[in-house]
Amino acid sequence: MTDLARSRRFYEELLDFEVERELHPPDDLSSTLLRLPKPLGMTALYLRRDGLVLELLHFASGTKPARERVMNEPGLTHLSLSVDDIDDVCARVSEYGGTVVASSHIGAAVFVRDPDGQLLELLPMTYRRHLDSQGFH
């Protein structure tokens, strides 16, 4: 992420995540683990919501530009989150530095991008409750 405070605000205030912990690991170990050259100046911010722990990484040494991934590409393409009111969240996304992918809005779901371009699928909480009631866990 390019701006730790902005990303933290996006996930905490807009999507109701809570900070679990913030770590500043040493460059020597992090450089080896992540296979990145020193200095890193890494901050790892762990956010929690509904049992999901999301790790956001910030590098004081800078980040590469994000690239768009297509849905049928192997690996992580997006995160899916349930929200109480899709339209309300969409109306506030830009206020928190994100963007709504308007062409994806089908009423029952929509894609938004966080401030660094990470794709997030928003689904209504009523859909999640419906699935839970039908025994889909």
Side-chain angles (χ1 to χ4, degrees), residues 38-93:
K38 293 183 271 187
L40 297 177
M42 185 175 84
T43 299
L45 181 65
Y46 294 86
L47 303 168
R48 179 181 292 275
R49 179 178 171 230
D50 298 330
L52 170 70
V53 177
L54 180 63
E55 179 187 38
L56 301 180
L57 300 179
H58 177 264
F59 298 93
S61 60
T63 59
K64 290 187 173 201
R67 72 171 180 83
E68 188 159 347
R69 297 175 53 103
V70 294
M71 284 298 161
N72 60 351
E73 184 176 341
L76 178 66
T77 58
H78 70 288
L79 298 174
S80 182
L81 302 169
S82 296
V83 296
D84 287 325
D85 186 330
I86 287 177
D87 291 330
D88 174 62
V89 172
C90 285
R92 298 182 300 129
V93 164

Coordinates of all heavy atoms in Angstrom, one line a residue, residues 38-93:
K38 N 17.0 -4.7 0.7 CA 16.9 -3.8 1.8 C 17.3 -2.4 1.3 O 18.0 -2.3 0.3 CB 17.9 -4.2 2.9 CG 17.5 -5.5 3.6 CD 18.5 -5.8 4.7 CE 19.6 -6.6 4.2 NZ 20.5 -7.1 5.2
P39 N 16.9 -1.3 1.9 CA 16.1 -1.3 3.1 C 14.6 -1.3 2.7 O 14.2 -0.9 1.7 CB 16.4 0.1 3.7 CG 16.7 0.9 2.5 CD 17.4 0.0 1.5
L40 N 13.8 -2.0 3.6 CA 12.4 -2.1 3.4 C 11.6 -1.1 4.2 O 10.6 -0.4 3.6 CB 11.9 -3.5 3.8 CG 12.4 -4.7 3.0 CD1 11.9 -6.0 3.5 CD2 12.1 -4.5 1.5
G41 N 11.9 -0.9 5.5 CA 11.1 -0.1 6.3 C 9.6 -0.5 6.3 O 8.7 0.3 6.2
M42 N 9.4 -1.8 6.5 CA 8.1 -2.4 6.4 C 7.2 -2.2 7.6 O 7.7 -2.4 8.7 CB 8.2 -3.9 6.0 CG 6.8 -4.5 5.8 SD 6.9 -6.2 5.3 CE 7.1 -7.1 6.8
T43 N 6.0 -1.9 7.4 CA 4.9 -2.0 8.4 C 3.9 -3.0 8.0 O 3.5 -3.0 6.8 CB 4.3 -0.6 8.6 OG1 5.2 0.4 9.0 CG2 3.2 -0.6 9.6
A44 N 3.6 -3.9 8.9 CA 2.5 -4.9 8.6 C 1.3 -4.5 9.5 O 1.5 -4.6 10.8 CB 3.0 -6.3 8.9
L45 N 0.2 -4.2 8.9 CA -1.0 -3.8 9.6 C -2.0 -5.0 9.5 O -2.4 -5.3 8.4 CB -1.6 -2.5 9.1 CG -2.8 -2.0 9.7 CD1 -2.5 -1.6 11.2 CD2 -3.4 -0.8 8.9
Y46 N -2.4 -5.5 10.6 CA -3.3 -6.7 10.6 C -4.7 -6.1 11.0 O -4.9 -5.6 12.1 CB -2.9 -7.7 11.6 CG -1.6 -8.4 11.2 CD1 -0.4 -7.9 11.5 CD2 -1.6 -9.6 10.4 CE1 0.8 -8.5 11.1 CE2 -0.5 -10.2 10.0 CZ 0.8 -9.6 10.4 OH 1.9 -10.2 10.0
L47 N -5.7 -6.3 10.1 CA -7.0 -5.9 10.3 C -7.9 -7.1 10.4 O -7.7 -8.1 9.7 CB -7.5 -5.0 9.2 CG -6.7 -3.8 8.9 CD1 -7.0 -3.1 7.6 CD2 -6.8 -2.8 10.1
R48 N -9.0 -7.1 11.3 CA -9.9 -8.2 11.5 C -11.3 -7.8 11.3 O -11.7 -6.7 11.7 CB -9.7 -8.8 12.9 CG -10.6 -10.0 13.1 CD -10.4 -10.6 14.5 NE -9.1 -11.2 14.7 CZ -8.8 -12.5 14.4 NH1 -9.8 -13.2 13.8 NH2 -7.7 -13.0 14.6
R49 N -12.1 -8.7 10.6 CA -13.5 -8.5 10.5 C -14.1 -9.9 10.2 O -13.7 -10.6 9.3 CB -13.8 -7.6 9.3 CG -15.3 -7.4 9.1 CD -15.6 -6.4 8.0 NE -17.0 -6.5 7.8 CZ -17.6 -6.6 6.6 NH1 -16.8 -6.7 5.5 NH2 -18.9 -6.7 6.5
D50 N -15.1 -10.2 11.0 CA -15.9 -11.5 10.8 C -15.0 -12.7 10.7 O -15.2 -13.6 9.9 CB -16.8 -11.4 9.6 CG -17.8 -10.3 9.7 OD1 -18.3 -10.0 10.8 OD2 -18.2 -9.7 8.6
G51 N -13.9 -12.7 11.5 CA -13.0 -13.9 11.4 C -11.9 -13.8 10.4 O -11.0 -14.6 10.4
L52 N -12.0 -12.8 9.4 CA -11.0 -12.6 8.4 C -9.9 -11.7 8.9 O -10.2 -10.7 9.5 CB -11.6 -12.0 7.1 CG -10.6 -11.5 6.1 CD1 -10.0 -12.7 5.4 CD2 -11.3 -10.6 5.1
V53 N -8.7 -12.2 8.8 CA -7.5 -11.3 9.1 C -6.9 -10.9 7.8 O -6.5 -11.7 7.0 CB -6.5 -12.0 10.0 CG1 -5.3 -11.1 10.3 CG2 -7.2 -12.4 11.3
L54 N -6.9 -9.6 7.6 CA -6.3 -9.0 6.4 C -5.0 -8.3 6.8 O -4.9 -7.5 7.7 CB -7.3 -8.0 5.8 CG -6.9 -7.2 4.6 CD1 -6.7 -8.2 3.4 CD2 -7.9 -6.2 4.2
E55 N -3.9 -8.7 6.1 CA -2.6 -8.1 6.3 C -2.3 -7.1 5.2 O -2.3 -7.4 4.0 CB -1.5 -9.1 6.4 CG -0.1 -8.6 6.6 CD 1.0 -9.6 6.4 OE1 0.8 -10.5 5.6 OE2 1.9 -9.5 7.2
L56 N -2.1 -5.8 5.6 CA -1.7 -4.8 4.7 C -0.3 -4.5 4.9 O 0.2 -4.3 6.1 CB -2.6 -3.5 4.9 CG -4.1 -3.6 4.7 CD1 -4.7 -2.3 4.9 CD2 -4.4 -4.2 3.3
L57 N 0.5 -4.4 3.9 CA 2.0 -4.2 4.0 C 2.3 -2.8 3.4 O 1.9 -2.5 2.3 CB 2.8 -5.2 3.3 CG 2.6 -6.7 3.7 CD1 3.5 -7.6 2.9 CD2 2.9 -6.8 5.2
H58 N 3.1 -2.0 4.1 CA 3.5 -0.7 3.6 C 5.1 -0.8 3.7 O 5.6 -1.2 4.7 CB 3.0 0.4 4.5 CG 3.5 1.7 4.1 ND1 4.6 2.3 4.7 CD2 3.1 2.6 3.2 CE1 4.8 3.5 4.1 NE2 3.9 3.7 3.2
F59 N 5.7 -0.2 2.6 CA 7.1 -0.2 2.5 C 7.6 1.2 2.4 O 7.2 1.9 1.4 CB 7.6 -1.0 1.3 CG 7.2 -2.5 1.4 CD1 6.1 -2.9 0.8 CD2 8.0 -3.4 2.1 CE1 5.7 -4.2 0.9 CE2 7.7 -4.7 2.1 CZ 6.5 -5.1 1.5
A60 N 8.3 1.7 3.4 CA 8.9 3.1 3.4 C 9.8 3.3 2.2 O 9.9 4.4 1.6 CB 9.6 3.4 4.7
S61 N 10.3 2.2 1.7 CA 11.2 2.2 0.5 C 10.5 2.4 -0.8 O 11.1 2.6 -1.9 CB 12.1 1.0 0.4 OG 11.3 -0.2 0.3
G62 N 9.1 2.3 -0.8 CA 8.3 2.5 -1.9 C 7.7 1.2 -2.4 O 8.0 0.1 -2.0
T63 N 6.7 1.4 -3.4 CA 6.0 0.2 -3.9 C 6.0 0.3 -5.4 O 6.1 1.4 -6.0 CB 4.6 0.1 -3.4 OG1 3.9 1.3 -3.8 CG2 4.5 -0.1 -1.9
K64 N 5.8 -0.8 -6.1 CA 5.6 -0.9 -7.5 C 4.2 -0.5 -7.8 O 3.3 -0.7 -7.0 CB 5.9 -2.3 -8.0 CG 7.4 -2.6 -8.0 CD 7.6 -3.9 -8.7 CE 9.1 -4.2 -8.7 NZ 9.5 -5.1 -9.8
P65 N 4.0 0.0 -9.0 CA 2.6 0.3 -9.4 C 1.7 -1.0 -9.5 O 2.2 -2.0 -9.9 CB 2.7 0.9 -10.8 CG 4.1 1.3 -11.0 CD 4.9 0.4 -10.0
A66 N 0.5 -0.8 -9.1 CA -0.5 -2.0 -9.2 C -0.8 -2.3 -10.6 O -0.7 -1.4 -11.5 CB -1.8 -1.6 -8.4
R67 N -1.0 -3.6 -10.8 CA -1.4 -4.0 -12.2 C -2.8 -4.7 -12.1 O -3.1 -5.3 -11.1 CB -0.4 -4.9 -12.8 CG -0.3 -6.3 -12.3 CD 0.5 -7.2 -13.1 NE 0.6 -8.5 -12.6 CZ -0.3 -9.5 -12.8 NH1 -1.3 -9.2 -13.5 NH2 -0.1 -10.6 -12.3
E68 N -3.6 -4.5 -13.1 CA -4.9 -5.1 -13.0 C -4.8 -6.6 -13.3 O -4.0 -7.0 -14.1 CB -5.8 -4.5 -14.1 CG -7.3 -5.0 -13.9 CD -8.3 -4.0 -14.6 OE1 -7.9 -2.9 -14.9 OE2 -9.4 -4.4 -14.7
R69 N -5.6 -7.4 -12.6 CA -5.6 -8.8 -12.8 C -7.0 -9.2 -13.3 O -8.0 -8.6 -12.8 CB -5.4 -9.5 -11.4 CG -4.0 -9.3 -10.9 CD -3.8 -9.9 -9.5 NE -4.2 -11.3 -9.5 CZ -3.3 -12.3 -9.5 NH1 -2.0 -12.0 -9.5 NH2 -3.7 -13.5 -9.5
V70 N -7.1 -10.2 -14.1 CA -8.4 -10.6 -14.6 C -8.9 -11.8 -13.8 O -8.1 -12.5 -13.1 CB -8.3 -11.0 -16.1 CG1 -8.0 -9.8 -17.0 CG2 -7.3 -12.1 -16.3
M71 N -10.2 -11.9 -13.7 CA -10.9 -12.9 -12.8 C -10.4 -14.3 -13.1 O -10.4 -15.1 -12.2 CB -12.4 -12.8 -12.9 CG -12.9 -11.6 -12.2 SD -12.6 -11.8 -10.5 CE -12.8 -10.1 -10.0
N72 N -10.1 -14.7 -14.3 CA -9.7 -16.1 -14.5 C -8.2 -16.3 -14.5 O -7.7 -17.4 -14.9 CB -10.3 -16.6 -15.9 CG -9.8 -15.8 -17.1 OD1 -9.2 -14.8 -16.9 ND2 -10.2 -16.3 -18.3
E73 N -7.5 -15.4 -13.9 CA -6.1 -15.5 -13.7 C -5.9 -16.3 -12.4 O -6.5 -16.0 -11.4 CB -5.4 -14.1 -13.6 CG -3.9 -14.2 -13.5 CD -3.4 -12.7 -13.5 OE1 -4.0 -11.8 -13.9 OE2 -2.2 -12.6 -13.0
P74 N -4.9 -17.3 -12.4 CA -4.7 -18.0 -11.1 C -4.2 -17.0 -10.0 O -3.6 -16.0 -10.3 CB -3.6 -19.0 -11.5 CG -3.7 -19.1 -13.0 CD -4.1 -17.8 -13.5
G75 N -4.5 -17.4 -8.8 CA -4.1 -16.5 -7.7 C -5.2 -15.6 -7.2 O -6.3 -15.6 -7.7
L76 N -4.8 -14.8 -6.3 CA -5.8 -13.9 -5.7 C -6.2 -12.8 -6.7 O -5.3 -12.0 -7.1 CB -5.3 -13.2 -4.4 CG -6.2 -12.2 -3.7 CD1 -7.4 -12.9 -3.2 CD2 -5.4 -11.5 -2.6
T77 N -7.4 -12.7 -7.0 CA -7.9 -11.6 -7.9 C -8.7 -10.6 -7.2 O -8.8 -9.4 -7.6 CB -8.8 -12.2 -9.0 OG1 -9.9 -12.9 -8.5 CG2 -8.0 -13.1 -9.9
H78 N -9.4 -11.0 -6.1 CA -10.2 -10.0 -5.3 C -10.6 -10.6 -4.0 O -10.4 -11.8 -3.7 CB -11.5 -9.7 -6.1 CG -12.5 -10.8 -6.2 ND1 -12.3 -11.9 -6.9 CD2 -13.7 -11.0 -5.5 CE1 -13.3 -12.8 -6.8 NE2 -14.2 -12.2 -6.0
L79 N -11.1 -9.8 -3.1 CA -11.7 -10.2 -1.8 C -13.2 -9.9 -1.9 O -13.6 -9.0 -2.6 CB -11.1 -9.4 -0.7 CG -9.6 -9.5 -0.4 CD1 -9.2 -8.5 0.7 CD2 -9.2 -10.9 0.0
S80 N -13.9 -10.8 -1.2 CA -15.4 -10.6 -1.2 C -15.8 -10.3 0.2 O -15.5 -11.0 1.1 CB -16.0 -11.9 -1.8 OG -17.4 -11.7 -1.8
L81 N -16.6 -9.2 0.4 CA -17.1 -8.8 1.7 C -18.6 -8.5 1.6 O -19.1 -8.0 0.6 CB -16.4 -7.5 2.1 CG -14.8 -7.5 2.2 CD1 -14.3 -6.1 2.3 CD2 -14.4 -8.4 3.3
S82 N -19.2 -8.9 2.7 CA -20.7 -8.6 2.9 C -20.8 -7.2 3.6 O -20.1 -7.0 4.6 CB -21.4 -9.7 3.6 OG -21.3 -10.9 2.9
V83 N -21.7 -6.4 3.2 CA -22.0 -5.1 3.8 C -23.5 -5.0 4.0 O -24.3 -5.6 3.3 CB -21.4 -3.9 3.0 CG1 -19.9 -4.0 2.9 CG2 -22.0 -3.9 1.6
D84 N -23.9 -4.2 5.0 CA -25.3 -4.0 5.2 C -26.0 -3.3 4.1 O -27.2 -3.6 3.7 CB -25.5 -3.2 6.5 CG -25.2 -4.0 7.8 OD1 -25.5 -5.2 7.7 OD2 -24.7 -3.4 8.7
D85 N -25.4 -2.3 3.5 CA -26.1 -1.5 2.4 C -25.1 -1.2 1.3 O -24.2 -0.3 1.5 CB -26.6 -0.2 3.1 CG -27.5 0.6 2.1 OD1 -27.2 0.6 0.9 OD2 -28.4 1.3 2.6
I86 N -25.1 -1.9 0.2 CA -24.2 -1.7 -0.9 C -24.2 -0.3 -1.4 O -23.1 0.3 -1.6 CB -24.5 -2.7 -2.0 CG1 -24.1 -4.1 -1.6 CG2 -23.8 -2.3 -3.3 CD1 -24.4 -5.2 -2.7
D87 N -25.4 0.3 -1.6 CA -25.4 1.6 -2.2 C -24.8 2.7 -1.2 O -24.2 3.6 -1.7 CB -26.9 2.0 -2.5 CG -27.4 1.2 -3.7 OD1 -26.6 0.8 -4.6 OD2 -28.6 0.9 -3.8
D88 N -25.0 2.5 0.1 CA -24.5 3.4 1.1 C -22.9 3.4 1.0 O -22.3 4.4 1.0 CB -25.0 3.1 2.5 CG -24.3 4.0 3.5 OD1 -24.4 5.2 3.5 OD2 -23.6 3.4 4.4
V89 N -22.4 2.1 1.0 CA -20.9 2.0 1.0 C -20.4 2.6 -0.4 O -19.4 3.3 -0.4 CB -20.5 0.5 1.1 CG1 -19.0 0.3 0.9 CG2 -20.9 0.0 2.5
C90 N -21.0 2.3 -1.5 CA -20.6 2.8 -2.8 C -20.6 4.3 -2.8 O -19.7 5.0 -3.4 CB -21.5 2.3 -3.9 SG -21.1 0.5 -4.3
A91 N -21.6 4.9 -2.1 CA -21.7 6.4 -2.1 C -20.5 7.0 -1.4 O -20.2 8.2 -1.6 CB -23.0 6.8 -1.5
R92 N -19.9 6.2 -0.5 CA -18.8 6.8 0.4 C -17.4 6.3 0.0 O -16.4 6.8 0.5 CB -19.1 6.4 1.8 CG -20.4 7.0 2.4 CD -20.7 6.7 3.8 NE -20.8 5.3 4.1 CZ -20.1 4.7 5.0 NH1 -19.3 5.3 5.8 NH2 -20.2 3.4 5.2
V93 N -17.3 5.4 -1.0 CA -16.0 4.8 -1.4 C -15.0 5.9 -1.8 O -13.9 5.9 -1.3 CB -16.2 3.8 -2.5 CG1 -14.9 3.5 -3.2 CG2 -16.8 2.5 -2.0

